[in-house]
Amino acid sequence: AGLAIAISEAMDAQETMADLNATLTATGRINLKDSILEMADSLKDLAGGSDDAVIAAANMLAGFETIGDETLPQATKATLDLAAKLKIGQKEAATMLGKILATGEGVNTLKKANITFTDAEEKAIKAMYDAGNAAEAQQMIIDKLNGAIGGTAAAKAETFAGKWTIIKNHLLDAA
């Protein structure tokens, strides 16, 4: 059984890397690969000890070309908090946040996580995107998210269940 688990984990890791390489190559962002891998290693405990989950989230976000290289690490970390808050997978949270950051539209979907934007904030975000200032709008969205739910993934990681999941995933990585 142990060998089967190790083989399965290795296959999943290879698939995750293949997906990342394909996305970064297609978007002309292959230069981000090393920084994404370093980020995944540093944030993995916020994703239950799984660097593959962090890589998958960053990969999803990197597919949205309007999310800048400088914004990607912050968006990835915010994704982990969003996933923890909504009790959904990191990739699903990355898809949700990526769609919002790509266009500035759909910020109301964050109400599920108790994050609300005023009409003035929504208008400011739209104006920034319309003026070609996506990076500033994305920062405003991420700041709002961090202010409302920042630290959720870290708090979840500190629970007994969170620590158990981290240990289990670290052992699987070592297998």
Side-chain angles (χ1 to χ4, degrees), residues 20-123:
L20 178 64
N21 286 332
T23 298
L24 295 179
T25 300
T27 58
R29 299 168 102 174
I30 198 69
N31 61 309
L32 295 179
K33 182 178 176 181
D34 289 340
S35 63
I36 288 173
L37 296 178
E38 289 172 18
M39 175 181 59
D41 188 54
S42 71
L43 295 178
K44 67 183 174 187
D45 286 352
L46 300 181
S50 173
D51 58 346
D52 288 345
V54 178
I55 293 168
N59 179 41
M60 182 60 65
L61 292 167
F64 293 97
E65 295 181 49
T66 56
I67 298 175
D69 295 357
E70 309 79 35
T71 305
L72 188 63
Q74 295 175 62
T76 302
K77 189 171 185 306
T79 292
L80 302 177
D81 286 322
L82 185 61
K85 178 69 176 176
L86 295 177
K87 298 179 180 165
I88 60 176
Q90 290 84 7
K91 192 171 179 180
E92 183 180 349
T95 301
M96 177 190 292
L97 186 57
K99 288 177 181 178
I100 294 167
L101 293 176
T103 63
E105 297 175 8
V107 292
N108 287 333
T109 60
L110 293 174
K111 284 182 181 177
K112 297 175 192 175
N114 297 324
I115 301 165
T116 55
F117 289 81
T118 65
D119 287 341
E121 288 170 326
E122 287 186 42
K123 287 177 184 173

